[in-house]
Each structure stands twice: as structure tokens, then as C-alpha cells.
Amino acid sequence: MARLNDQVGALLQEYADLLLLTGGDAYRARSYEKAARSVAGHAGDLDGLDAKGLQTIPGVGKSTAGKIAEYLGTGRIQALEALRADIPPGVREIMGIPTVGPKKAALIHRELGVSTVDELLDAARTGRLDDLPGLGARTAGNIVRGIQVLRSGAGRSLLDAALALAAEIAAAVRAAPGCERCAHAGSLRRMRESVGDVDILAAAHDSAPLMAALTGLPLTAEVLVGGPTKTSVRTTTGVQVDLRVVPPEDWGAAMVYFTGSKAHNIKLRGRAVKAGLKLSEYGLFDAGDGRRIASRTEEEVYAALGLPWIPPELREDRGEIEAALAGGLPVLVEESDLRGDLHTHTDLTDGLAPLEEMLAAAHARGHAYYAVTDHAPDLSMQRMTDAKMLAQREQLRSQAGRHGRMRLLHGTELNIGPDGGVDWPAAFLAGFDICVASIHSHFGLDRDAQTRRLLRACENPYVHVIGHPATRLLGRRDGIDADWEAVYAACARTGTALEVNGSPERLDLGDERIAAARRHGVRFAIDSDAHAVGHLGNLRYGVATARRGGLTADEVVNTWPLTRLRAFLRAKAR
DNA sequence: GCCGTTTTCGGCCCGACTGTTTTCAGTCG
């Protein structure tokens, strides 16, 4: 089950969406949206708060607190259920299609009776949308493309949600009588950016109590397969979970087998065959007499194949087995290598928490340094001004020494305009300790224009890091098109770091581009892009993505001591 | 619906882009 705060946040967001779809006051809807984000990002637990306590959360007033309290008490929100009765769930789904908002979704539903994405796709393809006022053939084409983008990521869970689900299930299975070990495997263990299902592996002599633990969970909506070695369920959130139970002595071989990837396993089995062995989920055996060679631990299985243990993030058959054989596996960066975070926000722009709270939370994470990088004025919705930024700098300087030995850097997240220019003239930029620069709009420019744009940003002596370089949103938006090889070369030449943005919705750069960029000698920054205290932990997903790209600690500038990092930042402006 | 060094009403996230229109509505970040 998702964290209670997230559940409530999702309900408030749904309420806001339904208000918009029913033509309710947009400001009212925005209030609920704001409350939804605020509640989800709230550091404390909602459970146990009364209506008065709830109102201490920013953006939560009397009315919203009442709805949350109602949910905590009864598990329902009457007002929400009333709106749900009016609007089919498919209409809200339609609203989630890029280029479709509440107005178009409501219009299409009202005029054509369309209430599912499939019906909309049909209506778009048969030209029925063109008859509606304000909609034309181009709109229909955009809707069809939008649905395709959405579908390409459909049915997949993002890394943070999948890991949380896996942890909850593994804990329940582990508590079952006779369970000796339990852990997640599959693409989730390889830390892919999104996963289609969640694989859980457990070790026990008797599987029945473990299977019962899974099927009996409140989050289990439906049992798809129920056998002695494998049980598959669908959760209330629609995710398929497979639980496999193996004898404890087979644990290592099963872990290798169920972690995959398929291509990695095929290569391992081929290697086994050549050595007169047979590898399966039950162990590594002598092909002749069937004698068991190895199976208890992963290390044992890999060793018997003449290989060192290979980190799961690398098991994609992208050369890791060859590298392992040659003794050239990279020593991958670990979360504990990170000394700081170089891209974070506060409530001065679109963050949720005030500066002091973010600093305190960052200090609690043990950071040696921490950069505050709120948005700059070109993102006009954030209403940044020179004066506000300078006041924040003063505020930050006054915090120096109040958070142990953590050093504070004053930075900003600049906006890379369509021509590659950024907010503020050089003289103002020179006042920052660090500048991240990111693309936030004009995603549709052609390849040449996007490349020129990124190259110009790299050439800017005050731009130290390119933030979320590809600008993708997983399952919702493909990134921009650019000549990436040219961008990597420019980053390497100019000493500009590329960000590995740890937000589970971005993971940008992605693993394959990281691997390509590092061949140019590019440096990277693994950042949380935190907009709330709870997001500071996003570094975990950034590290996982960096590991998939094969990064070592030395290639990541925020693993460096502050003096080396500062030298890197200074070198840019020379 | 929320909020307050313009404080109990009247603002609130502004500006650009897209696609449909000839002056604008809807969407997005």
C-alpha cells in the first residue's frame, strides 16, 4: 500500500481533476492540487493528525482538512464520490493525454459520449472529432500521437513505486513461518527506469505459508496463478506481482535466473555449456553426471563460471560479461559515495519546503555540501526577481554553520531558451556558486536547433551543469531530439557536467546515454532535483541509473571533496 | 479553497505556443 500521505495526495489530485472536468472554479481546483502536492511531500505522517493538525500543512485549510479527516476516519470522501458518480474514470484518463486538458476532455465526453481512451482513439481516427467546435484535424492527430506515447509506457510502474511495493510485499513474505530469505529480483533489481511487473523471490522448504502471506495481503486484488512454486497476483493498483519460492540451497542460482536479464542469462548458460555444465534456476550442474556444482549464492554461481559477481544493474548483456572476464568491470558509484546534492529547490519557487527545512533535512542525510538552486526569472510562472534571489543568498549565508559542517552553495536552475541563452547577464551569474541550466520548453525544435541550443549553453562560462538534459518524462513525454554525440563532446571540451536527475519521473540522462557520454570523458552530477524534503532521497534512483550507465565515483563531481568540486566549477569561468 | 507586512476580501502562476480561428481558448511548464 502506498504511503498514507501519497494516497491522500492522489485523492485530492483526483478531486481537483474532477472539479475541472465538471467546469468547477479553476482556482478552487488549483487549491486542491496545491494541497495534494503539499500533503504528498509533507515530511510527517498524516495518521494521527486531527483537523487542526492537518491545517498546519501549507495549502491545507479548513475544507481540505475536513476531507482528509473524513478519509482518515471513514476511508471515504463523500464529495469525491459524488463527483466520481458523474464522471466516468476514463474521462479523467483522457485528460491525462498530452495536449488534452479538462476542457477538451469534457467537451468530447459531453458531445460525443466518449468515455474511454479507446473510444477517443476511434473517434479521432474516424474524423468525428473534427466536427466539434474548436477542434480540427491537427488536434485529432495530436491526440492519436499522445495516446501512443501514453500507451508505450502504460502498464509499467516507475522505479520508486515499484520498489516501495516490493519492499512491502517482501516484508510480509519474510514474516511468514518458514521463510528463510526474501528479496526482489527481475528488472526491478536491475533498477530499470520502469518495470512491467514485480518479481519477488523467497527461500523456504514449505512454500504454502509464503504464498498465503501474499494472497492474503490487503493490496492483493486478484490471484492470477496459485501454484506451489509460483504465485502471481494483481494488486489493487493494477501491478502484477510474481512470487517464486525455492529451496534455500537453490537461492543463488534462482536469484541469478530471476534477476536476468534474459540476454545476460542466455550468455551465462552458453558459457556453462562450453564448460560441460548446465545452468538453470535450480543450480549449476555437471552436464554429465548431474552433480551440483554451485547454487547457494550468486557469488558461488558466477565463480564456478569463472566470473566475478556482476552487479545487477549491469546485467543487460551490454558487454558486462566480456568486461568481467577481462577484469575490467567498473567499480560502480554507490549512494554512500555522494557528498552532496547540486540541484534542489525551496518554496521560493516551486518547492514545497522553506530553505531552513530543506537544509536541516539535507544535513540529516549527512551531506558535506548542498546547493540551493531555485528557478530563475525566465520561467516567469515562478516570479523570480534579482532582489528575491539576492535575499535568498543572504538568508543562505546566514545559515552557514547552523547545519553542522555541511557547506552551503548558492545556485540557480537557469532556463535554456530556444536559442541557447539563459536568464541574467554574466555579471549577475558570476555571483552564484553553481548554475544548473535546463530546458523547460520548446521541446519541438528540430534536431539541429536543439543541438545548437545545448551547445551554446555548454559554452556559457557560468553554466556548470546541464540539468535533466533530454527533458523526458517517463511514460508521458519523449525527450528532445539532438545530436547527442556532439553534446557529449561539447560537455567534455568545456568542462560542463551532465546531470543524472534522480527524480523517478525523469531519470535523465538515462542509462544508455550515460554510457555513451562517459566514452567522451564527460563528468556527471547525480542530483535529487528535490522540490520537497521527501524528494532528497531521489538520489538513490539517480545513483541506480548512473550505475546502469557504468559510472564510477570519480566520474561524478558530487562524490568529490568540496575543494575539488570548487576547482571544477571555477575552471569553467576561466 | 487558501491566504494575509495591501489581513476577513480579493486576489491567486505568468507567458508563450498551438490550433483554431480572424481575436481567442486551451494547454503546458
Side-chain angles (χ1 to χ4, degrees):
Chain A
M1 193 70 69
R3 182 169 170 251
L4 180 64
N5 294 35
D6 293 324
Q7 287 176 44
V8 173
L11 291 171
L12 294 174
Q13 181 61 53
E14 182 183 354
Y15 190 67
D17 288 346
L18 294 179
L19 281 176
L20 290 171
L21 283 169
T22 50
D25 176 36
Y27 285 116
R28 220 177 125 218
R30 190 176 295 163
S31 283
Y32 282 108
E33 276 176 11
K34 189 177 173 206
R37 279 189 297 124
S38 190
V39 164
H42 183 63
D45 222 319
L46 290 188
D47 215 0
L49 288 182
D50 58 9
K52 200 164 182 182
L54 290 166
Q55 282 185 67
T56 62
I57 301 171
V60 176
K62 197 174 165 190
S63 178
T64 308
K67 290 186 175 66
I68 298 174
E70 181 189 349
Y71 180 71
L72 296 181
T74 68
R76 319 169 39 142
I77 300 175
Q78 287 293 343
L80 174 60
E81 298 195 357
L83 285 179
R84 278 176 177 167
D86 288 342
I87 304 284
V91 179
R92 186 167 171 244
E93 213 180 315
I94 286 170
M95 191 177 129
I97 297 167
T99 74
V100 183
K103 295 285 169 55
K104 278 187 201 150
L107 176 76
I108 292 164
H109 173 56
R110 191 174 61 242
E111 297 299 322
L112 299 178
V114 164
S115 55
T116 68
V117 175
D118 277 323
E119 288 169 15
L120 175 59
L121 193 57
D122 186 58
R125 285 183 169 150
T126 54
R128 280 187 289 141
L129 291 185
D130 305 8
D131 303 335
L132 296 179
L135 269 62
R138 278 171 173 276
T139 303
N142 285 339
I143 287 175
V144 171
R145 262 195 305 286
I147 292 173
Q148 282 160 353
V149 168
L150 211 60
R151 292 250 158 114
S152 66
R156 299 187 69 83
S157 307
L158 296 185
L159 196 50
D160 58 337
L163 281 170
L165 176 65
E168 185 175 350
I169 291 171
V173 172
R174 215 172 280 132
C179 180
E180 295 194 11
R181 306 189 69 163
C182 183
H184 64 270
S187 55
L188 184 59
R189 182 161 178 246
R190 303 200 310 278
M191 300 293 259
R192 294 253 330 239
E193 62 204 30
S194 67
V195 301
D197 55 21
V198 170
D199 292 298
I200 307 284
L201 186 66
H205 291 290
D206 175 14
S207 68
L210 283 61
M211 301 306 193
L214 172 63
T215 57
L217 280 175
L219 61 76
T220 295
E222 183 188 0
V223 179
L224 305 171
V225 177
T229 63
K230 174 183 170 180
T231 293
S232 295
V233 304
R234 191 175 309 286
T235 68
T236 47
T237 51
V239 182
Q240 182 173 330
V241 177
D242 297 341
L243 171 62
R244 291 180 172 84
V245 180
V246 299
E249 56 272 22
D250 294 352
W251 173 262
M255 206 59 183
V256 171
Y257 184 87
F258 290 115
T259 297
S261 63
K262 191 173 275 181
H264 178 87
N265 286 353
I266 287 171
K267 207 157 245 185
L268 286 184
R269 284 202 294 275
R271 202 172 154 71
V273 168
K274 270 191 194 152
L277 305 170
K278 182 172 79 86
L279 177 63
S280 73
E281 61 264 54
Y282 303 109
L284 183 65
F285 302 93
D286 186 301
D289 57 17
R291 189 170 45 93
R292 181 189 297 259
I293 310 284
S295 65
R296 188 159 285 278
T297 68
E298 282 197 334
E299 286 82 353
E300 202 179 291
V301 173
Y302 277 103
L305 292 167
L307 291 163
W309 180 81
I310 297 177
E313 295 92 333
L314 294 180
R315 300 184 195 172
E316 299 287 350
D317 188 27
R318 293 180 189 158
E320 73 279 5
I321 293 175
E322 294 76 3
L325 283 170
L329 272 184
V331 180
L332 300 179
V333 60
E334 295 184 28
E335 194 175 353
S336 59
D337 292 327
L338 296 185
R339 294 174 193 251
D341 198 337
L342 301 179
H343 181 177
T344 71
H345 297 272
T346 74
D347 62 1
L348 183 62
T349 54
D350 58 351
L352 293 167
L355 181 70
E356 296 82 353
E357 282 181 28
M358 294 300 282
L359 296 182
H363 177 237
R365 297 187 64 82
H367 285 320
Y369 47 82
Y370 183 81
V372 176
T373 56
D374 272 312
H375 288 289
D378 286 1
L379 227 55
S380 49
M381 65 189 265
Q382 305 295 349
R383 303 183 134 196
M384 179 53 74
T385 62
D386 294 15
K388 282 163 87 172
M389 202 42 128
L390 293 173
Q392 184 188 55
R393 186 172 301 162
E394 285 309 305
Q395 196 191 352
L396 192 75
R397 300 290 183 239
S398 77
Q399 291 279 319
R402 292 194 197 168
H403 303 278
R405 297 161 71 90
M406 185 172 79
R407 301 292 295 274
L408 306 177
L409 302 178
H410 192 233
T412 182
E413 182 183 9
L414 300 167
N415 180 58
I416 304 177
D419 62 353
V422 299
D423 329 50
W424 284 316
F428 197 87
L429 293 177
F432 289 104
D433 298 317
I434 181 168
C435 294
V436 178
S438 319
I439 286 175
H440 298 102
S441 61
H442 300 85
F443 305 113
L445 297 179
D446 67 30
R447 185 185 178 87
D448 285 348
Q450 297 288 24
T451 307
R452 277 197 304 277
R453 181 184 193 188
L454 284 166
L455 258 48
R456 188 170 164 218
C458 288
E459 303 285 353
N460 187 317
Y462 298 101
V463 169
H464 304 111
V465 179
I466 303 293
H468 46 75
T471 71
R472 69 173 180 181
L473 290 176
L474 292 169
R476 287 190 286 148
R477 184 176 74 209
D478 294 331
I480 56 169
D481 188 19
D483 177 353
W484 290 104
E485 291 295 320
V487 174
Y488 306 149
C491 285
R493 179 167 46 79
T494 59
T496 309
L498 283 170
E499 183 177 70
V500 180
N501 188 296
S503 166
E505 294 172 358
R506 293 188 184 272
L507 298 179
D508 180 9
L509 284 183
D511 50 8
E512 294 186 45
R513 291 212 169 121
I514 292 169
R518 76 186 286 260
R519 288 196 283 273
H520 288 262
V522 173
R523 303 297 193 179
F524 299 84
I526 301 176
D527 295 328
S528 71
D529 195 2
H531 285 68
V533 167
H535 299 165
L536 289 168
N538 285 352
L539 287 175
R540 174 188 186 190
Y541 314 116
V543 169
T545 304
R547 289 170 62 87
R548 287 182 54 81
L551 289 192
T552 62
D554 196 54
E555 293 169 290
V556 178
V557 300
N558 52 323
T559 67
W560 297 350
L562 184 59
T563 46
R564 185 177 175 199
L565 174 65
R566 280 200 187 278
F568 174 80
L569 299 175
R570 271 198 311 273
K572 185 82 202 264
R574 277 203 204 108

